[in-house]
Amino acid sequence: QLQLVESGGGLVQPGGSLRLSCVASGFTFSRYYINWYRRAPGKEREWVARINSQSTSTNYADSVRGRFTISRANAKNTVYLQMNSLKPEDTAVYYCAAAFLATTGMDYWGKGTLVTVSS
C-alpha cells in the first residue's frame, strides 16, 4: 500500500508557526524527491517546496522563500515543512507528493492537511 500521510495542520494566527509532517510508506522513500503543494479555496494547486533524496538540494516558491523550510528524515520516512511568519494567504490544504525523477510529474500524493491562518 503506497501512502503519504500529512499531519500538523490547524488554525494559527498571522505571524505564527506550524510544522507539517508527511509520513511515507509502501515505497522506497529515500530514493524520491518530495514536494509540498498547496491549494487555497477557489484557486489552482500551487507548488511550494521541493527537497531531493539526500537533502542536498532544496527549492522554494517565491511566496514562501525565507519563511518555510523543507527537510526530511529518511530513516523515519518523513518529510517536514516548517512554516514561520505565516500569513492569511498561506491558508490552504497542504499536500506532500513524491517524484522519482525531477523532470516528470508527481508519482504519489497525500490527501492533504488544512492550514488556516487567521486572527
Side-chain angles (χ1 to χ4, degrees), residues 48-86:
V48 174
R50 185 184 74 182
I51 188 166
N52 71 351
S53 61
Q54 301 304 312
S55 300
T56 56
S57 178
T58 58
N59 294 275
Y60 299 93
D62 289 343
S63 58
V64 307
R65 187 177 297 109
R67 300 187 298 120
F68 291 10
T69 302
I70 188 170
S71 62
R72 67 194 295 166
N74 284 343
K76 299 182 182 294
N77 281 5
T78 302
V79 63
Y80 305 97
L81 186 68
Q82 179 66 47
M83 309 164 67
N84 299 326
S85 301
L86 284 162

Side-chain angles (χ1 to χ4, degrees), residues 12-25:
V12 63
Q13 294 183 348
S17 296
L18 212 56
R19 189 181 73 162
L20 306 183
S21 298
C22 173
V23 179
S25 60

Side-chain angles (χ1 to χ4, degrees), residues 35-52:
N35 294 260
W36 285 96
Y37 287 82
R38 67 187 182 186
R39 189 190 295 274
K43 296 186 177 180
E44 294 294 307
R45 185 175 60 206
E46 175 190 21
W47 172 79
V48 174
R50 185 184 74 182
I51 188 166
N52 71 351

